[in-house]
Amino acid sequence: MAEKIKIYVTRRIPDAGLELLRKNHPQFEMNPEDRILTRSELLEKVRGLDGLLSLLTDKIDGEVMDAAGPRLKVIANHAVGFDNVDLPAATQRGILVTNTPGVLTDATADHAWALLFAAARRIPESEKFLRAGKFTGWGPLMFLGGDITGRTLGIIGAGRIGHSVAMKSKGFGMRVLYTDEVANPALEQEIGAQKVSLEELLRESDFVSVHVPLLPSTRHFINQETLRLMKKTAYLVNTSRGPVIDEAALAEALRDGVIAGAALDVFENEPAVHPELLKLDNLVLTPHTASATVATRNKMATMAASNLIAALAGQQPPNLVNDEVWGKHRT
Ligand code: DGY
């Protein structure tokens, strides 16, 4: 008798995805607690799996893949980013890796805007002041921030999310600069965005929003040197991956007035936040929630489950990131 397909979900995901899994593979298992598995739990739980549904908080490296063993056919990551998965290690072992692109583009771009506004108009800082009972009347010098309408927006990485952030600037009549390895002609045509060098973008932008994947080449590419190129009145927003910014350098720049402010949704050593950042008022922080809307998370869960189900049915999963594995797949 054929052995049952073994699937493990590392943490509870929205019901839309779980229902799909239940319908196709009612025997699937899931971490019953709403918390990140420890390393030893993860290594134990993956044993003998055919399919793993992982989150961006799970480090899926060669050790995990070897602990799973030769049956592991697919790692379906519940995120568009997949820097938590060692892709070469998966490819070498013939394991399909999938992600959830597209469905979180607008939610993430909306959040980048929420952060930009919150930083420029000092929303958390002034709300704290008000709640503390310190508001004794309107003041001409109270909580002065930065203008947004008509200013220059710099987009680092004009892929899906960067493009969406740029498009949303239309309502604010902003000039848009972008930097990317490849040109984005649609963005240029639609809103007259200009492709410039990173240096020019940093020098000219009033707001810089980061949308690059985490790669060896993007790690700490916002650092002391690049921060010093920015205007003293500029704001930095990051909704991509934490390690693209050197947090110690950012804390110093914010403290010393090298830039006016920043807003971060992602952190270098998540869930830890650099202690110097926590001391600053000219910084807005959210806990990696840029894609956290009900509809978006349902779509991500459905997408991750569909990718897993397709791969286990011997079909090419719709959001395969290591295409080269498909050709030589072990089915
Ligand atoms: C992702 O999907 O990569 C985001 O960081 C979380 O939604």
Side-chain angles (χ1 to χ4, degrees):
M1 204 174 75
E3 267 194 79
K4 268 204 173 148
I5 287 179
K6 277 185 78 183
I7 296 169
Y8 192 74
V9 180
T10 62
R11 187 169 180 171
R12 191 182 177 89
I13 58 168
D15 284 342
L18 295 179
E19 274 160 30
L20 205 56
L21 283 177
R22 230 170 261 132
K23 226 164 58 199
N24 289 270
H25 297 282
Q27 76 288 5
F28 82 90
E29 275 187 63
M30 179 171 72
N31 170 9
E33 293 174 53
D34 187 20
R35 65 168 175 85
I36 301 167
L37 291 174
T38 64
R39 181 74 181 170
S40 55
E41 286 171 333
L42 178 64
L43 289 169
E44 174 60 34
K45 288 296 180 189
V46 295
R47 270 198 207 151
L49 288 187
D50 299 277
L52 175 65
L53 196 149
S54 57
L55 306 187
L56 61 90
T57 42
D58 304 313
K59 185 172 185 232
I60 311 296
D61 55 12
E63 189 186 14
V64 173
M65 296 169 202
D66 290 340
R71 281 173 52 164
L72 186 62
K73 190 185 262 185
V74 56
I75 298 164
N77 213 37
H78 183 279
V80 64
F82 47 89
D83 46 280
N84 60 305
V85 180
D86 184 339
L87 201 61
T91 302
Q92 198 189 22
R93 289 164 177 77
I95 300 167
L96 304 163
V97 177
T98 66
N99 70 340
T100 63
V103 292
L104 47 78
T105 301
D106 278 321
T108 307
D110 291 352
H111 197 79
W113 275 99
L115 289 176
L116 187 155
F117 275 102
R121 300 309 303 269
R122 303 174 62 181
I123 304 293
E125 203 187 336
S126 50
E127 195 203 5
K128 206 163 93 187
F129 170 89
L130 192 138
R131 284 181 188 271
K134 295 182 183 168
F135 181 41
T136 54
W138 186 87
L141 300 179
M142 205 192 275
F143 291 108
L144 305 183
D147 279 318
I148 296 163
T149 297
R151 298 293 160 144
T152 299
L153 173 66
I155 301 286
I156 301 183
R160 270 184 298 258
I161 298 171
H163 183 109
S164 175
V165 172
M167 289 302 293
K168 290 173 202 287
S169 74
K170 234 171 139 179
F172 298 100
M174 297 177 90
R175 171 184 177 223
V176 177
L177 304 177
Y178 76 97
T179 179
D180 203 313
E181 280 175 7
V182 289
N184 184 332
L187 202 56
E188 294 177 17
Q189 267 162 26
E190 284 163 36
I191 53 166
Q194 265 177 279
K195 185 172 185 291
V196 294
S197 67
L198 177 64
E199 184 173 330
E200 190 177 343
L201 181 141
L202 293 171
R203 282 193 200 285
E204 295 206 11
S205 298
D206 299 297
F207 298 94
V208 173
S209 194
V210 184
H211 304 285
V212 291
L214 178 60
L215 300 168
S217 57
T218 59
R219 188 174 288 272
H220 277 197
F221 87 109
I222 299 290
N223 52 42
Q224 192 182 49
E225 203 181 317
T226 43
L227 285 163
R228 286 191 187 281
L229 297 175
M230 290 176 68
K231 293 182 185 178
K232 268 185 178 328
T233 50
Y235 295 83
L236 176 70
V237 177
N238 187 17
T239 50
S240 61
R241 284 292 181 265
V244 304
I245 296 180
D246 177 344
E247 283 184 357
L250 176 63
E252 213 177 277
L254 289 169
R255 192 198 56 212
D256 298 347
V258 173
I259 61 172
L264 306 176
D265 182 54
V266 286
F267 304 93
E268 209 175 325
N269 299 301
E270 259 176 62
V273 180
H274 195 293
E276 292 304 314
L277 288 179
L278 292 172
K279 295 180 188 164
L280 299 162
D281 280 334
N282 53 349
L283 173 66
V284 179
L285 305 166
T286 52
H288 205 150
T289 47
S291 69
T293 72
V294 175
T296 297
R297 288 288 166 85
N298 276 334
K299 285 183 202 158
M300 288 168 69
T302 308
M303 209 168 188
S306 305
N307 281 322
L308 187 104
I309 292 163
L312 293 175
Q315 295 155 8
Q316 181 164 4
N319 310 106
L320 186 60
V321 295
N322 54 350
D323 289 331
E324 61 273 43
V325 173
W326 186 243
K328 53 179 179 176
H329 204 246
R330 319 164 284 177
T331 49

